[in-house]
Amino acid sequence: KGRRGQKGKNRGCVLTEIHLNVTDLDLGYETKEELIFRYCSGSCDAAETTYDKIIKNLTRKKKLVNDKVRQACCRPIAYDDDLSFLDDNLVYHILKKHSAKRCGCV
Amino acid sequence: EPALSKGNNCLDAAKACNLNDTCKKFRSAYITPCTSSTSNEICNKRKCHKALRLFFDKVPPKHSYGMLFCSCRDTACTERRRQTIVPVCSYEDKEKPNCLNLQDSCKKNYICRSRLADFFTNCQPESRSISSCLKENYADCLLAYSGLIGTVMTPNYIDSNSLSVAPWCDCSNSGNDIEECLKFLTFFQDNTCLKNAIQAFGNGTDVTVW
């Protein structure tokens, strides 16, 4: 129950997709093949755990001024299936963990 | 026509595959074993074949045939089509066996035996029929042909300027069986039923069947 409540608060963090050429990724491949790239975006402002609340409170009270303590970030918590493509020199390549499948505030 | 000649149907089919979650997944699932070299081999051929069979079993023909039977106007396209099954792993071997010996090893395997029988039944040419096929059914012929991919009888295009296909074998050292061997090999290489079926799919002229 609690978990669902927390998830609801961070409705801002969502999976978004964009249709790209493989060359748009700038990974050094020469090919005309394409892909759907999925990424995580949105805010994780609503504190997820007691830990996050404490960090927020301590930061506000300037007790952690010297440390860069990060708040939760909207990041992939699972990756999409591998992507394979044939390049212009007829060599196959495989991209792993290149695209998000699920997002979370972690 | 010049505008059309710029198109590469095989590239378009590969793009369409990677935009479809199922096709993308099963494509990578065979590209991975078919391109991973092991300590003393180019690849694990057995794993490559298994993943290729899974690709043609699970992916809708629209996508799998799209890459295998795409129609081409230039070598960039035909070379891509020839690479579809990763021939360096799934097709080529150090030595080319005699086709009748290859047929014998195929018959020892249940999957290969039944798929080869399907191929000879469903791609039987018949010069007097309109389709050039005895069975008059291009879809069944293409299904039987693609079913051989991932068996020891895995066929592929043999050159870049025709739709001639063959398994990795020849008829040298056939002895007295030379005619039987050539008959077997010709069924692949010079089969008007199969060629017409591939052409019809590539041109989208026989759409009702799919």
Side-chain angles (χ1 to χ4, degrees):
Chain A
K1 187 188 165 190
R3 212 173 164 187
R4 186 183 292 174
Q6 282 165 13
K7 231 180 185 174
K9 280 187 195 170
N10 284 311
R11 219 174 276 127
C13 174
V14 291
L15 190 66
T16 311
E17 63 177 48
I18 178 173
H19 183 172
L20 297 172
N21 296 320
V22 171
T23 49
D24 292 331
L25 307 177
D26 279 339
L27 296 175
Y29 300 112
E30 288 176 32
T31 179
K32 291 174 191 72
E33 291 207 34
E34 300 174 358
L35 79 157
I36 300 284
F37 176 67
R38 299 190 174 98
Y39 60 97
C40 298
S41 71
S43 81
C44 290
D45 284 347
E48 276 233 282
T49 62
T50 308
Y51 172 84
D52 292 315
K53 273 181 205 161
I54 295 170
I55 293 295
K56 230 178 193 176
N57 297 341
L58 295 181
T59 306
R60 194 170 55 235
K61 286 201 277 183
K62 299 197 163 42
K63 292 210 174 184
L64 301 174
V65 277
N66 294 325
D67 290 324
K68 285 180 182 168
V69 187
R70 301 278 185 229
Q71 284 186 349
C73 289
C74 181
R75 294 274 305 163
I77 52 171
Y79 290 96
D80 206 348
D81 293 315
D82 298 348
L83 178 90
S84 55
F85 59 89
L86 189 63
D87 74 16
D88 293 346
N89 297 312
L90 302 174
V91 178
Y92 277 107
H93 301 278
I94 301 150
L95 298 184
K96 294 172 186 291
K97 292 192 173 181
H98 65 291
S99 177
K101 187 180 185 179
R102 279 196 304 276
C103 304
C105 290
V106 291
Chain B
E1 295 288 318
L4 270 174
S5 66
K6 278 193 170 178
N8 180 334
N9 286 332
C10 295
L11 176 63
D12 290 344
K15 288 181 187 174
C17 176
N18 277 353
L19 300 184
N20 174 282
D21 282 335
T22 305
C23 192
K24 178 184 75 171
K25 178 175 153 188
F26 286 104
R27 185 188 186 200
S28 302
Y30 80 79
I31 299 296
T32 303
C34 298
T35 57
S36 308
S37 57
T38 64
S39 53
N40 46 7
E41 295 285 337
I42 285 180
C43 65
N44 184 327
K45 197 169 194 154
R46 195 182 52 82
K47 284 186 180 171
C48 170
H49 276 174
K50 194 176 177 184
L52 274 166
R53 294 201 304 272
L54 204 59
F55 176 80
F56 287 102
D57 280 351
K58 300 284 184 187
V59 176
K62 183 179 118 181
H63 289 298
S64 58
Y65 291 5
M67 290 198 287
L68 188 62
F69 302 128
C70 36
S71 65
C72 286
R73 292 157 185 269
D74 55 38
T75 48
C77 179
T78 54
E79 276 308 303
R80 173 176 274 279
R81 183 172 64 191
R82 235 173 49 76
Q83 293 299 327
T84 304
I85 63 165
V86 198
V88 69
C89 176
S90 72
Y91 184 63
E92 293 160 24
D93 221 327
K94 286 164 209 145
E95 283 165 25
K96 243 185 190 180
N98 179 278
C99 293
L100 295 179
N101 291 342
L102 189 67
Q103 190 182 13
D104 284 341
S105 32
C106 174
K107 284 180 174 171
K108 288 186 186 115
N109 176 279
Y110 166 75
I111 297 176
C112 194
R113 186 174 62 228
S114 63
R115 294 191 175 183
L116 188 61
D118 281 349
F119 175 63
F120 278 99
T121 305
N122 291 310
C123 296
Q124 186 68 54
E126 170 53 63
S127 54
R128 283 165 298 181
S129 87
I130 300 167
S131 65
S132 298
C133 299
L134 184 66
K135 291 271 183 182
E136 303 267 25
N137 188 327
Y138 288 154
D140 283 352
C141 175
L142 295 187
L143 183 66
Y145 172 84
S146 60
L148 287 172
I149 295 169
T151 69
V152 293
M153 207 51 80
T154 298
N156 199 20
Y157 299 96
I158 49 180
D159 55 50
S160 51
N161 38 33
S162 77
L163 291 176
S164 251
V165 297
W168 186 257
C169 66
D170 62 26
C171 284
S172 53
N173 305 312
S174 289
N176 290 337
D177 299 324
I178 183 76
E179 277 188 30
E180 194 193 342
C181 184
L182 289 173
K183 196 179 154 198
F184 177 88
L185 190 54
T186 306
F187 193 94
F188 284 88
Q189 281 189 8
D190 195 16
N191 183 327
T192 43
C193 169
L194 177 61
K195 279 182 189 171
N196 284 358
I198 295 175
Q199 229 154 26
F201 181 87
N203 299 334
T205 45
D206 199 38
V207 281
T208 48
V209 186
W210 326 103

